[in-house]
Amino acid sequence: MNVTGFAPLSGVRVIEMSHMIMGPSCGMFLAFLGAEVIKVEPPQGDKTRDLTGMGRGFFPTFNRGKKSITLDLKSDAGRAALDALLKDADVFVENFRDSSLAAMGFAPDVLRDRHPQLIVASCKGFLHGPYENRTAMDEVVQMMTGMAYMTGPTGRPLRIGSSANDIMGGLFGAFSVLAALKQRDRDGQGHAVRVGLFENCLLLVAQHMVQFDIEGTEAPPMPERDFSWPVYDIFNTGDGQPIFVGAVTEGQWAKLCDVLGLADLKADSRLQTRPDQIKARDWTLPLIADAIAQQTYAPLASALERDGIPFSPIARPAQMYDDPHVTRPGGLMSSALPEGGSYRAPGLPFEVDGIPAVPACFDLPDIGDDTADILGALGLAEDEIAIASGQARRHVA
Protein backbone atom coordinates (compact mmCIF):
# COMPACT_ATOMS: atom_id res chain seq x y z
CA MET A 1 0.00 0.00 0.00
CA ASN A 2 1.23 3.46 -0.79
CA VAL A 3 2.02 5.80 2.08
CA THR A 4 0.02 9.01 1.96
CA GLY A 5 2.95 11.23 2.87
CA PHE A 6 0.90 12.63 5.76
CA ALA A 7 3.53 12.79 8.50
CA PRO A 8 3.06 16.08 10.38
CA LEU A 9 5.34 14.90 13.22
CA SER A 10 8.26 14.00 10.97
CA GLY A 11 11.44 15.13 12.73
CA VAL A 12 9.91 14.81 16.21
CA ARG A 13 11.74 12.33 18.44
CA VAL A 14 9.73 10.59 21.15
CA ILE A 15 11.23 8.45 23.90
CA GLU A 16 8.55 6.13 25.22
CA MET A 17 9.05 4.24 28.47
CA SER A 18 5.76 2.53 29.18
CA HIS A 19 3.96 -0.79 29.12
CA MET A 20 0.49 -2.36 28.80
CA ILE A 21 -1.85 -0.10 26.74
CA MET A 22 -2.29 3.52 27.81
CA GLY A 23 1.33 4.67 27.37
CA PRO A 24 2.07 2.46 24.34
CA SER A 25 -1.07 3.63 22.54
CA CYS A 26 0.04 7.23 23.11
CA GLY A 27 3.38 6.39 21.50
CA MET A 28 1.70 4.52 18.66
CA PHE A 29 -0.55 7.45 17.78
CA LEU A 30 2.49 9.73 17.64
CA ALA A 31 4.42 7.20 15.53
CA PHE A 32 1.52 6.92 13.08
CA LEU A 33 1.66 10.70 12.66
CA GLY A 34 5.28 10.48 11.60
CA ALA A 35 7.22 10.86 14.86
CA GLU A 36 10.30 8.72 15.51
CA VAL A 37 9.23 6.76 18.59
CA ILE A 38 11.94 4.93 20.48
CA LYS A 39 10.54 2.42 22.94
CA VAL A 40 12.74 1.85 25.99
CA GLU A 41 12.41 -1.70 27.29
CA PRO A 42 14.09 -3.49 30.21
CA PRO A 43 16.89 -5.93 29.25
CA GLN A 44 14.45 -8.87 29.17
CA GLY A 45 11.91 -6.94 27.13
CA ASP A 46 8.56 -5.41 27.99
CA LYS A 47 6.60 -7.99 30.00
CA THR A 48 3.52 -7.13 27.93
CA ARG A 49 5.19 -9.05 25.09
CA ASP A 50 4.63 -12.29 27.00
CA LEU A 51 0.94 -11.92 27.80
CA THR A 52 -1.39 -14.65 26.60
CA GLY A 53 -5.14 -15.04 26.27
CA MET A 54 -6.97 -11.72 25.99
CA GLY A 55 -3.65 -9.96 26.56
CA ARG A 56 -2.02 -11.53 23.49
CA GLY A 57 -2.96 -8.62 21.26
CA PHE A 58 -1.77 -5.85 23.60
CA PHE A 59 1.86 -5.55 22.54
CA PRO A 60 1.50 -6.16 18.79
CA THR A 61 -1.48 -3.80 18.53
CA PHE A 62 -0.04 -0.78 20.34
CA ASN A 63 3.67 -0.93 19.55
CA ARG A 64 3.60 -0.88 15.76
CA GLY A 65 5.85 1.54 13.95
CA LYS A 66 8.31 2.02 16.82
CA LYS A 67 12.00 1.39 17.36
CA SER A 68 13.15 -0.62 20.38
CA ILE A 69 16.13 -0.30 22.65
CA THR A 70 16.88 -1.95 25.96
CA LEU A 71 18.26 -0.08 28.95
CA ASP A 72 19.15 -1.32 32.41
CA LEU A 73 17.72 1.54 34.45
CA LYS A 74 18.97 -0.08 37.65
CA SER A 75 22.49 0.79 36.54
CA ASP A 76 24.20 4.17 36.41
CA ALA A 77 25.13 3.50 32.77
CA GLY A 78 21.53 2.79 31.79
CA ARG A 79 20.22 5.90 33.48
CA ALA A 80 22.98 8.00 31.93
CA ALA A 81 22.10 6.64 28.48
CA LEU A 82 18.42 7.50 28.98
CA ASP A 83 19.36 11.01 30.06
CA ALA A 84 21.54 11.39 26.98
CA LEU A 85 18.62 10.27 24.81
CA LEU A 86 16.32 12.79 26.44
CA LYS A 87 18.78 15.60 25.82
CA ASP A 88 17.98 15.61 22.10
CA ALA A 89 14.41 14.31 22.35
CA ASP A 90 11.25 16.34 21.93
CA VAL A 91 8.90 14.18 23.98
CA PHE A 92 9.17 11.68 26.82
CA VAL A 93 6.14 9.38 27.31
CA GLU A 94 6.06 7.46 30.59
CA ASN A 95 3.58 5.62 32.80
CA PHE A 96 5.67 4.80 35.86
CA ARG A 97 4.57 5.45 39.42
CA ASP A 98 5.55 8.95 40.47
CA SER A 99 7.72 7.56 43.26
CA SER A 100 9.51 5.09 40.96
CA LEU A 101 10.27 7.77 38.39
CA ALA A 102 11.56 10.12 41.08
CA ALA A 103 13.78 7.38 42.54
CA MET A 104 15.43 6.96 39.15
CA GLY A 105 16.01 10.71 38.91
CA PHE A 106 13.50 11.29 36.12
CA ALA A 107 10.61 13.09 37.82
CA PRO A 108 8.92 15.56 35.43
CA ASP A 109 10.11 18.65 37.33
CA VAL A 110 13.68 17.33 37.39
CA LEU A 111 13.58 16.59 33.67
CA ARG A 112 12.22 20.05 32.87
CA ASP A 113 15.10 21.63 34.76
CA ARG A 114 17.61 19.38 33.06
CA HIS A 115 16.07 19.55 29.56
CA PRO A 116 14.12 22.82 29.30
CA GLN A 117 12.62 22.07 25.88
CA LEU A 118 11.47 18.54 26.67
CA ILE A 119 7.76 17.73 26.77
CA VAL A 120 7.05 15.11 29.43
CA ALA A 121 3.80 13.21 28.89
CA SER A 122 2.85 11.19 31.96
CA CYS A 123 0.11 8.60 31.51
CA LYS A 124 -1.21 7.99 35.02
CA GLY A 125 -4.15 6.49 36.84
CA PHE A 126 -5.24 9.84 38.28
CA LEU A 127 -4.47 13.51 37.96
CA HIS A 128 -3.10 15.29 41.02
CA GLY A 129 -5.48 15.07 43.97
CA PRO A 130 -6.55 12.70 46.76
CA TYR A 131 -6.22 9.61 44.54
CA GLU A 132 -3.01 10.47 42.72
CA ASN A 133 -0.98 7.66 44.29
CA ARG A 134 -3.60 4.93 43.93
CA THR A 135 -3.04 2.01 41.59
CA ALA A 136 -5.45 2.21 38.69
CA MET A 137 -6.41 -0.10 35.85
CA ASP A 138 -9.05 0.19 33.17
CA GLU A 139 -11.53 -1.96 35.07
CA VAL A 140 -10.84 -0.16 38.36
CA VAL A 141 -11.76 3.26 37.01
CA GLN A 142 -14.80 1.87 35.20
CA MET A 143 -16.07 0.68 38.56
CA MET A 144 -15.15 3.94 40.28
CA THR A 145 -16.79 6.32 37.83
CA GLY A 146 -20.06 4.49 37.22
CA MET A 147 -19.14 3.28 33.73
CA ALA A 148 -19.48 -0.37 34.81
CA TYR A 149 -22.79 0.44 36.54
CA MET A 150 -24.13 1.97 33.33
CA THR A 151 -22.97 -0.95 31.17
CA GLY A 152 -24.41 -3.92 33.04
CA PRO A 153 -27.94 -4.53 34.31
CA THR A 154 -28.85 -3.50 37.86
CA GLY A 155 -26.76 -5.36 40.40
CA ARG A 156 -24.34 -6.66 37.78
CA PRO A 157 -21.80 -3.95 36.94
CA LEU A 158 -19.91 -4.86 33.80
CA ARG A 159 -16.77 -3.47 32.21
CA ILE A 160 -17.09 -2.55 28.56
CA GLY A 161 -15.77 -5.11 26.12
CA SER A 162 -12.44 -3.53 25.18
CA SER A 163 -9.62 -1.49 26.73
CA ALA A 164 -11.40 1.65 25.55
CA ASN A 165 -10.34 3.74 28.54
CA ASP A 166 -6.67 2.89 28.14
CA ILE A 167 -6.79 3.57 24.41
CA MET A 168 -8.67 6.84 24.81
CA GLY A 169 -6.28 7.79 27.63
CA GLY A 170 -3.41 7.22 25.21
CA LEU A 171 -5.23 9.31 22.64
CA PHE A 172 -5.56 12.16 25.14
CA GLY A 173 -1.84 11.73 25.85
CA ALA A 174 -1.04 12.18 22.16
CA PHE A 175 -3.54 15.03 21.95
CA SER A 176 -1.87 16.84 24.85
CA VAL A 177 1.57 16.25 23.32
CA LEU A 178 0.42 17.89 20.09
CA ALA A 179 -0.90 20.84 22.07
CA ALA A 180 2.35 21.12 24.05
CA LEU A 181 4.43 21.00 20.87
CA LYS A 182 2.32 23.82 19.46
CA GLN A 183 2.75 25.80 22.66
CA ARG A 184 6.50 25.18 22.60
CA ASP A 185 6.60 26.73 19.13
CA ARG A 186 5.27 29.90 20.76
CA ASP A 187 7.11 30.08 24.08
CA GLY A 188 10.21 27.95 23.39
CA GLN A 189 9.64 25.97 26.58
CA GLY A 190 9.03 22.33 27.33
CA HIS A 191 5.95 21.37 29.32
CA ALA A 192 4.85 18.57 31.64
CA VAL A 193 1.45 17.09 30.78
CA ARG A 194 -0.34 14.46 32.82
CA VAL A 195 -3.24 12.32 31.62
CA GLY A 196 -5.50 10.54 34.11
CA LEU A 197 -7.20 7.24 33.30
CA PHE A 198 -9.84 7.98 35.94
CA GLU A 199 -10.54 11.44 34.54
CA ASN A 200 -10.72 9.99 31.06
CA CYS A 201 -13.42 7.55 32.17
CA LEU A 202 -15.17 10.36 34.04
CA LEU A 203 -15.49 12.26 30.77
CA LEU A 204 -17.07 9.18 29.18
CA VAL A 205 -19.88 9.18 31.77
CA ALA A 206 -20.24 12.99 31.83
CA GLN A 207 -23.55 12.92 29.96
CA HIS A 208 -25.11 10.87 32.76
CA MET A 209 -23.64 13.14 35.43
CA VAL A 210 -24.99 16.22 33.68
CA GLN A 211 -28.46 14.70 33.35
CA PHE A 212 -28.51 14.24 37.12
CA ASP A 213 -27.14 17.73 37.77
CA ILE A 214 -29.80 19.35 35.59
CA GLU A 215 -32.83 17.15 36.27
CA GLY A 216 -32.01 15.53 39.59
CA THR A 217 -32.73 12.10 38.11
CA GLU A 218 -30.22 9.28 37.66
CA ALA A 219 -30.02 7.50 34.33
CA PRO A 220 -30.69 3.76 34.68
CA PRO A 221 -28.12 1.27 33.37
CA MET A 222 -28.08 1.02 29.57
CA PRO A 223 -29.86 -2.37 29.47
CA GLU A 224 -32.77 -0.72 31.33
CA ARG A 225 -32.57 2.74 29.82
CA ASP A 226 -35.53 4.93 29.00
CA PHE A 227 -35.60 4.92 25.22
CA SER A 228 -35.49 8.14 23.25
CA TRP A 229 -36.27 6.33 19.99
CA PRO A 230 -39.29 4.42 18.68
CA VAL A 231 -37.17 1.42 17.65
CA TYR A 232 -33.64 0.79 18.90
CA ASP A 233 -33.45 -2.92 19.56
CA ILE A 234 -32.10 -6.35 18.66
CA PHE A 235 -34.38 -8.74 16.80
CA ASN A 236 -34.08 -12.22 15.27
CA THR A 237 -34.65 -12.91 11.58
CA GLY A 238 -36.40 -15.97 10.24
CA ASP A 239 -33.09 -17.64 9.39
CA GLY A 240 -31.85 -17.26 12.96
CA GLN A 241 -29.59 -14.24 12.61
CA PRO A 242 -29.80 -11.47 15.22
CA ILE A 243 -30.01 -7.96 13.83
CA PHE A 244 -30.01 -4.53 15.43
CA VAL A 245 -32.54 -2.14 13.92
CA GLY A 246 -33.11 1.52 14.74
CA ALA A 247 -35.82 3.95 13.71
CA VAL A 248 -35.19 7.28 15.40
CA THR A 249 -37.31 9.68 13.35
CA GLU A 250 -40.86 9.71 12.04
CA GLY A 251 -39.44 9.25 8.53
CA GLN A 252 -37.43 6.19 9.50
CA TRP A 253 -40.46 4.78 11.31
CA ALA A 254 -42.54 5.08 8.14
CA LYS A 255 -39.83 3.51 5.98
CA LEU A 256 -39.38 0.62 8.45
CA CYS A 257 -43.12 -0.03 8.38
CA ASP A 258 -42.94 -0.13 4.57
CA VAL A 259 -39.99 -2.56 4.58
CA LEU A 260 -41.77 -4.87 7.03
CA GLY A 261 -45.17 -4.65 5.37
CA LEU A 262 -46.76 -3.00 8.41
CA ALA A 263 -49.12 -0.63 6.58
CA ASP A 264 -51.64 -0.62 9.45
CA LEU A 265 -48.94 0.41 11.94
CA LYS A 266 -47.78 3.18 9.62
CA ALA A 267 -51.32 4.53 9.24
CA ASP A 268 -52.33 4.21 12.91
CA SER A 269 -53.45 7.64 14.16
CA ARG A 270 -51.90 6.90 17.56
CA LEU A 271 -48.39 6.61 16.02
CA GLN A 272 -47.87 9.73 13.96
CA THR A 273 -45.24 11.49 16.11
CA ARG A 274 -42.00 10.25 17.62
CA PRO A 275 -43.16 10.80 21.24
CA ASP A 276 -46.31 8.78 20.50
CA GLN A 277 -44.24 6.03 18.90
CA ILE A 278 -41.94 5.89 21.93
CA LYS A 279 -44.87 5.67 24.36
CA ALA A 280 -46.31 2.76 22.36
CA ARG A 281 -43.14 0.66 22.37
CA ASP A 282 -44.67 -1.94 24.68
CA TRP A 283 -47.18 -3.03 22.02
CA THR A 284 -45.49 -1.99 18.77
CA LEU A 285 -42.19 -3.80 19.33
CA PRO A 286 -43.77 -7.28 19.45
CA LEU A 287 -45.41 -6.53 16.10
CA ILE A 288 -42.10 -5.38 14.63
CA ALA A 289 -40.29 -8.39 16.09
CA ASP A 290 -42.83 -10.75 14.54
CA ALA A 291 -42.51 -9.03 11.14
CA ILE A 292 -38.71 -9.28 11.22
CA ALA A 293 -38.98 -12.95 12.18
CA GLN A 294 -40.84 -13.52 8.91
CA GLN A 295 -37.87 -12.31 6.86
CA THR A 296 -34.40 -13.67 6.15
CA TYR A 297 -31.36 -11.60 6.99
CA ALA A 298 -29.79 -10.82 3.59
CA PRO A 299 -32.82 -9.34 1.79
CA LEU A 300 -33.90 -7.51 4.95
CA ALA A 301 -30.45 -5.94 5.36
CA SER A 302 -30.47 -4.91 1.72
CA ALA A 303 -33.85 -3.21 2.09
CA LEU A 304 -32.84 -1.43 5.31
CA GLU A 305 -29.65 -0.13 3.72
CA ARG A 306 -31.51 1.00 0.61
CA ASP A 307 -33.94 3.04 2.69
CA GLY A 308 -31.35 4.54 5.05
CA ILE A 309 -32.58 2.76 8.16
CA PRO A 310 -29.90 2.14 10.83
CA PHE A 311 -29.17 -1.57 11.17
CA SER A 312 -26.32 -3.93 11.97
CA PRO A 313 -25.52 -7.60 12.32
CA ILE A 314 -24.41 -8.64 15.80
CA ALA A 315 -20.79 -9.26 14.89
CA ARG A 316 -17.76 -10.61 16.75
CA PRO A 317 -14.33 -8.92 16.49
CA ALA A 318 -12.89 -11.91 14.61
CA GLN A 319 -15.52 -11.45 11.91
CA MET A 320 -14.13 -8.02 11.08
CA TYR A 321 -11.47 -9.72 8.94
CA ASP A 322 -14.28 -10.72 6.57
CA ASP A 323 -16.09 -7.38 6.56
CA PRO A 324 -15.86 -5.74 3.11
CA HIS A 325 -15.58 -2.23 4.55
CA VAL A 326 -12.83 -3.22 6.98
CA THR A 327 -10.87 -4.96 4.22
CA ARG A 328 -11.15 -2.04 1.76
CA PRO A 329 -7.82 -0.46 0.75
CA GLY A 330 -6.43 1.26 3.83
CA GLY A 331 -8.81 -0.43 6.25
CA LEU A 332 -6.26 -2.86 7.67
CA MET A 333 -2.48 -2.70 7.88
CA SER A 334 -0.31 -5.79 7.80
CA SER A 335 2.57 -5.74 10.29
CA ALA A 336 5.54 -8.07 10.45
CA LEU A 337 6.16 -10.02 13.65
CA PRO A 338 9.80 -10.18 14.79
CA GLU A 339 9.61 -13.97 15.10
CA GLY A 340 8.25 -14.25 11.57
CA GLY A 341 4.79 -14.09 10.12
CA SER A 342 2.47 -11.10 10.17
CA TYR A 343 -0.83 -9.86 11.52
CA ARG A 344 -3.45 -7.36 10.45
CA ALA A 345 -4.79 -4.50 12.55
CA PRO A 346 -6.71 -1.27 11.95
CA GLY A 347 -4.87 1.98 11.43
CA LEU A 348 -5.90 5.51 12.34
CA PRO A 349 -9.64 6.13 11.89
CA PHE A 350 -9.40 9.14 9.61
CA GLU A 351 -8.55 10.16 6.07
CA VAL A 352 -6.58 13.15 4.82
CA ASP A 353 -7.68 14.61 1.49
CA GLY A 354 -9.78 11.50 0.98
CA ILE A 355 -6.86 9.11 1.51
CA PRO A 356 -6.27 6.89 4.60
CA ALA A 357 -3.47 8.20 6.79
CA VAL A 358 -1.04 5.31 6.47
CA PRO A 359 2.27 5.57 8.37
CA ALA A 360 5.62 4.86 6.76
CA CYS A 361 6.31 1.93 9.10
CA PHE A 362 3.95 -0.21 11.11
CA ASP A 363 6.02 -3.33 11.79
CA LEU A 364 6.63 -4.60 15.31
CA PRO A 365 10.19 -4.26 16.65
CA ASP A 366 12.00 -7.12 18.34
CA ILE A 367 13.47 -6.55 21.81
CA GLY A 368 16.32 -4.07 21.49
CA ASP A 369 16.35 -4.10 17.68
CA ASP A 370 17.71 -0.57 17.50
CA THR A 371 19.87 -0.45 20.63
CA ALA A 372 23.23 -0.51 18.90
CA ASP A 373 22.32 2.11 16.31
CA ILE A 374 20.64 4.55 18.67
CA LEU A 375 23.10 4.31 21.54
CA GLY A 376 26.01 4.23 19.10
CA ALA A 377 24.77 7.53 17.68
CA LEU A 378 25.13 8.96 21.20
CA GLY A 379 28.84 8.14 21.08
CA LEU A 380 28.77 5.00 23.24
CA ALA A 381 31.32 2.31 22.44
CA GLU A 382 30.30 -1.30 21.97
CA ASP A 383 31.20 -2.34 25.50
CA GLU A 384 29.43 0.72 26.94
CA ILE A 385 26.31 -0.15 24.97
CA ALA A 386 26.38 -3.69 26.35
CA ILE A 387 26.53 -2.35 29.92
CA ALA A 388 23.93 0.41 29.48
CA SER A 389 21.49 -1.89 27.70
CA GLY A 390 21.83 -4.61 30.32
CA GLN A 391 22.98 -7.15 27.75
CA ALA A 392 26.35 -7.65 29.44
CA ARG A 393 24.68 -8.52 32.75
CA ARG A 394 22.11 -10.65 30.92
CA HIS A 395 24.80 -12.71 29.17
CA VAL A 396 26.67 -13.21 32.44
CA ALA A 397 23.48 -14.37 34.12
Side-chain angles (χ1 to χ4, degrees), residues 116-134:
Q117 291 192 313
L118 183 67
I119 292 163
V120 181
S122 298
C123 298
K124 305 294 186 180
F126 303 89
L127 298 184
H128 291 115
Y131 299 156
E132 63 185 81
N133 293 316
R134 277 195 190 182

Side-chain angles (χ1 to χ4, degrees), residues 169-190:
L171 183 61
F172 270 113
F175 178 75
S176 63
V177 164
L178 295 178
L181 286 169
K182 185 70 173 177
Q183 182 64 26
R184 190 181 69 176
D185 289 342
R186 297 176 178 176
D187 59 25
Q189 298 296 312

Side-chain angles (χ1 to χ4, degrees), residues 6-231:
F6 182 74
L9 296 186
S10 178
V12 172
R13 172 171 273 198
V14 178
I15 309 301
E16 180 211 308
M17 195 167 73
S18 67
H19 62 286
M20 295 300 282
I21 296 178
M22 187 179 179
S25 66
C26 175
M28 182 193 72
F29 292 133
L30 296 172
F32 279 15
L33 292 176
E36 178 193 27
V37 178
I38 300 171
K39 184 174 185 69
V40 177
E41 303 188 53
Q44 303 297 327
D46 186 334
K47 291 182 179 179
T48 313
R49 288 180 180 268
D50 301 324
L51 294 178
T52 58
M54 291 190 74
R56 180 63 181 92
F58 288 7
F59 194 90
T61 300
F62 302 109
N63 289 282
R64 295 171 287 166
K66 302 177 185 178
K67 298 177 179 178
S68 171
I69 68 169
T70 61
L71 287 179
D72 179 9
L73 296 177
K74 296 179 180 179
S75 70
D76 292 339
R79 291 191 295 272
L82 176 59
D83 197 54
L85 273 175
L86 294 175
K87 179 181 178 181
D88 294 322
D90 297 286
V91 181
F92 178 45
V93 176
E94 60 87 14
N95 69 343
F96 277 63
R97 282 182 173 273
D98 290 341
S99 57
S100 299
L101 204 64
M104 290 188 289
F106 294 103
D109 55 343
V110 173
L111 288 176
R112 290 185 66 195
D113 287 341
R114 198 181 301 159
H115 309 295
Q117 291 192 313
L118 183 67
I119 292 163
V120 181
S122 298
C123 298
K124 305 294 186 180
F126 303 89
L127 298 184
H128 291 115
Y131 299 156
E132 63 185 81
N133 293 316
R134 277 195 190 182
T135 300
M137 298 182 70
D138 199 329
E139 200 151 338
V140 169
V141 300
Q142 288 190 43
M143 299 293 175
M144 290 182 69
T145 59
M147 174 64 81
Y149 170 84
M150 291 302 301
T151 304
T154 297
R156 292 174 55 196
L158 183 68
R159 68 158 288 163
I160 54 180
S162 79
S163 301
N165 271 307
D166 280 317
I167 298 167
M168 188 171 174
L171 183 61
F172 270 113
F175 178 75
S176 63
V177 164
L178 295 178
L181 286 169
K182 185 70 173 177
Q183 182 64 26
R184 190 181 69 176
D185 289 342
R186 297 176 178 176
D187 59 25
Q189 298 296 312
H191 299 277
V193 298
R194 183 181 179 108
V195 180
L197 190 64
F198 172 84
E199 286 77 10
N200 174 82
C201 197
L202 199 66
L203 182 62
L204 294 179
V205 299
Q207 67 203 67
H208 305 308
M209 295 170 59
V210 171
Q211 177 187 343
F212 175 76
D213 215 29
I214 293 174
E215 297 182 345
T217 57
E218 290 193 59
M222 292 298 279
E224 301 154 22
R225 65 192 181 276
D226 297 322
F227 282 87
S228 299
W229 319 118
V231 181

Side-chain angles (χ1 to χ4, degrees), residues 1-2 323-333 351 354-358:
M1 181 184 301
N2 292 327
D323 186 289
H325 190 79
V326 175
T327 57
R328 76 196 188 282
L332 290 173
M333 300 188 304
E351 297 173 341
I355 303 173
V358 179

Side-chain angles (χ1 to χ4, degrees), residues 298-385:
L300 174 60
S302 179
L304 294 173
E305 182 166 5
R306 179 198 65 211
D307 288 349
I309 300 172
F311 80 97
S312 172
I314 311 304
R316 303 187 306 277
Q319 293 175 305
M320 292 299 95
Y321 288 115
D322 298 317
D323 186 289
H325 190 79
V326 175
T327 57
R328 76 196 188 282
L332 290 173
M333 300 188 304
S334 183
S335 301
L337 286 163
E339 65 269 25
S342 63
Y343 61 99
R344 295 164 292 160
L348 294 174
F350 63 83
E351 297 173 341
V352 179
D353 300 326
I355 303 173
V358 179
C361 176
F362 36 86
D363 289 335
L364 193 68
D366 201 356
I367 302 170
D369 257 353
D370 307 282
T371 303
D373 289 342
I374 291 173
L375 296 189
L378 296 176
L380 274 67
E382 190 173 326
D383 58 336
E384 293 174 313
I385 292 173

